[in-house]
Amino acid sequence: MKELKGACLFGQSGGPTSVINASAAGVFLEALNQKNITRVYGAVHGIRGILHEELIDINQEDPKELEYLKNTPSSALGSVRYKLKDASVDDTDYKRLLEVFKKYDVRYFFYNGGNDSMDTCNKISKYLQQANYECRVIGVPKTIDNDLFGTDHCPGFASAAKYVATSTMEVYLDSHVYDTGLIVVIEVMGRHAGWLTAAASLANLKGCGADLIYLPEVDFDLDKFMADVKAVAAKTNNKAIIVVSEGIHDKDGKFIAEYGKDVAHDSFGHAQLGGVGLFLAGKINAELGVKVRAIELSLLQRCAAHCGSARDIEEAFNAGKMAVKYAISGETDKMVIFERKNQKDYEIEYKLVDLLYAANTEKKVPLEWINKEHNGVNEKFAEYALPLIQGELKFPLEDGLPRFAHLKKVMVQK
Amino acid sequence: MKELKGACLFGQSGGPTSVINASAAGVFLEALNQKNITRVYGAVHGIRGILHEELIDINQEDPKELEYLKNTPSSALGSVRYKLKDASVDDTDYKRLLEVFKKYDVRYFFYNGGNDSMDTCNKISKYLQQANYECRVIGVPKTIDNDLFGTDHCPGFASAAKYVATSTMEVYLDSHVYDTGLIVVIEVMGRHAGWLTAAASLANLKGCGADLIYLPEVDFDLDKFMADVKAVAAKTNNKAIIVVSEGIHDKDGKFIAEYGKDVAHDSFGHAQLGGVGLFLAGKINAELGVKVRAIELSLLQRCAAHCGSARDIEEAFNAGKMAVKYAISGETDKMVIFERKNQKDYEIEYKLVDLLYAANTEKKVPLEWINKEHNGVNEKFAEYALPLIQGELKFPLEDGLPRFAHLKKVMVQK
């Protein structure tokens, strides 16, 4: 293995999770310890911070505060949703990136994000190779959606899953308290993959779960849904918990959320969803005449660090750490993945997959884990997901409130 | 003090909190230890369970499971919203209650709830007195609204306050992550009292707080609100956290939630609120053209036992315990209250207030704690509320999920 000396640059991208900063801590604390890494930089707002040359000097941060990053949700450096054009179409951004990389002698580049971010990371990696600029590029996975290809699961998913399952249990107890009926529709994030929505089923293991769960992996039929709800309501004296993914759609691919409103699109061409829970709640109320509540878990589900999975935090930290170790060992153009060694005694290995495969390939809940009625998941899901939410969370408090990291964020002189 | 031997009956009433069952644990575990209490009963769905003679035999419960009640949200026995008519108008229910009390030799009656429940408790107490049936009646306070008269604060409030402040901090980090604007409107429960909404201001102590907070104690003006939002948005590059009480209303008393929809009423004549956050978010989006999210904390805020205040749990437990001790000592026709001994080193005494005063009197946030602009609270609120959310929560988990109490709920033979 050839030694490579130079600076390290880390960026965060895409939607926040509870543990994206745990990966940052892993990258930073490992990089600061590596003799071949001359300087550690953090990009402000991911790729945009590199283009604008807005870099934070991580060497000036207090290592104790970097430890606090493990329990600080969202992206401490700032995130971004910025789609790089293909270099063959327009290489302006790439030229600028290379210029900045050269200026700061960046020889290690780590990018933390989901599908779209791995696409960005892959494009940069390929461009740097083609430009013959030696730089080791490793992607660090992250997404509550759990839909990255090639890895058993993604950092961020388990903490959100624990929050969804815990909240479902708590809402179950709350909503079953009166002798009158109440149907609760809980809306969970996940545009195309239902992993997080399926996590509500973990509450069922404890007898406080969802009666009906709808994932975007299968088509949603409103009439069938109403029949399902009526059947449950008849059996339960109108008390039910229904959990739906924001991304459920009909057989023509139309989002059910669109049934009730117009839909805008973000810069990746994704429909801006939300509101499907409210729409379905209104429908149930109108047809059954019972009291209905829609609860959209919204941002809460992806930033609830106070309910994080200890195992998720540890793995997210290690993903960042291993990215640096692999890069130092000579690897590049890859993304860190988790490989589950065996099902019984949960254990994972940190391995690598080509960035090309990680980018833009979505991993969905296997259809054979979804029940025949398409309104729930079977025991396979719990076998998969339950090990991920284990461990005893040590969540630092100060005055009874979360103690989040305080970074100095000293900007590097341009 | 005259000794009184007989059974004890406990009921839960009104909206759930995270710690209402902690008070149940306090009542049950203390009552089971008292030699003058011959039997301990729990009423299913509060007053309705007494009328229907649906009683649970608490003596058959495992004391270890009763301990788990401390961390089990909602009302384990079932709750109720049932308004007793004045006995002078219709004494049917009262006669039936007396019949059941006599049949089971109930000499100790404890009722756990908020304003409306204390009204019920007071009416029962007065009727039993007038009927010359010897029974010691003690109310146990409970409400996330924190609006009960005569007590420094109410069990349930602090846990919900901790959840609101914690969630505000987390949502702050999540929503400030991009370099594009996002305004978040968080809707908090509280029809007439803004205590819980004001709890969002605790997040401000940590630099991750709300820019604007609106309480129902003062009139809300939509034009002034929009001017406030615009002023903040101009300073913050369109990033803002706005926290509103569900109960904000205009100078004519009309709920802002009603601006967007028709309003139903519950059996106490309260308007069924919800949706004010969504309404205001739509308004902001339409006028400012920025991305806006409405997050309704909904049931989550009152059942999030996983984020409970350790001090709140302890006090709720003690409130139940002290209710039994006071009754045994001869007290009746009272509600347990908390008296704060001093501000610096937080300490409370468990005292009593006449049920008559506790019933139907609402305690609101003092106007001098609200800022001049009517869009925030001053340091007085934090001085009051911060001590209430302290302590290290020991939240029992099993398989990474909450370990709630499993009661046998053996029904008493009619």
Side-chain angles (χ1 to χ4, degrees), chain A residues 32 62 73 87 95 141 154 171 178 184 218 233 245 249 262 267 290 293 309 329 371 376 400:
Chain A
L32 289 168
D62 180 349
K95 283 179 177 163
C154 303
V171 166
Y178 293 117
V184 180
V218 291
S245 162
H249 55 80
D262 291 327
S267 61
V290 296
R293 261 187 191 267
S309 151
S329 80
N371 69 9

Side-chain angles (χ1 to χ4, degrees), chain A residues 13-17 45 48 52 72-81 161-163 165-167 169-171 173-180 182 184 189 202-203 205-206 208 239 272-273 278 291 293-300 302-307 386 389-393 395 397-404 406, chain B residues 13-17 45 48 52 72-81 161-163 165-167 169-171 173-180 182 184 189 202-203 205-206 208 239 272-273 278 291 293-300 302-307 386 389-393 395 397-404 406:
Chain A
S13 171
T17 78
H45 295 301
R48 192 163 293 178
H52 294 182
T72 303
S74 192
S75 306
L77 308 176
S79 189
V80 69
R81 287 192 188 280
K162 186 178 167 190
Y163 177 83
T166 300
S167 296
M169 288 178 71
E170 291 173 339
V171 166
L173 289 186
D174 189 295
S175 62
H176 282 69
V177 78
Y178 293 117
D179 52 357
T180 51
L182 173 61
V184 180
M189 282 180 169
L202 297 177
L205 302 174
K206 301 295 171 190
C208 308
K239 290 181 192 175
Q272 285 289 342
L273 298 181
L278 213 56
K291 196 172 171 183
R293 261 187 191 267
I295 300 180
E296 187 185 347
L297 296 183
S298 189
L299 305 181
L300 300 165
R302 69 182 193 190
C303 64
H306 74 273
C307 186
L386 200 58
I389 64 167
Q390 301 307 307
E392 201 188 334
L393 178 69
F395 188 67
L397 292 181
E398 185 182 73
D399 302 327
L401 292 169
R403 169 58 165 89
F404 294 143
H406 306 311
Chain B
S13 170
T17 79
H45 297 300
R48 192 163 294 179
H52 294 180
T72 304
S74 191
S75 305
L77 309 175
S79 189
V80 70
R81 288 192 188 280
K162 186 178 168 190
Y163 177 82
T166 299
S167 296
M169 289 177 70
E170 292 173 339
V171 165
L173 290 186
D174 190 295
S175 62
H176 282 69
V177 79
Y178 293 117
D179 52 357
T180 50
L182 173 61
V184 180
M189 282 180 168
L202 298 177
L205 302 175
K206 302 294 171 190
C208 309
K239 290 180 192 177
Q272 286 288 341
L273 297 181
L278 211 57
K291 197 173 170 183
R293 262 188 190 267
I295 300 180
E296 188 185 346
L297 295 183
S298 189
L299 304 182
L300 301 165
R302 70 181 192 191
C303 63
H306 74 273
C307 187
L386 199 58
I389 64 167
Q390 303 305 309
E392 201 190 333
L393 178 68
F395 187 67
L397 292 181
E398 185 182 73
D399 303 327
L401 292 170
R403 169 59 164 89
F404 294 144
H406 306 310

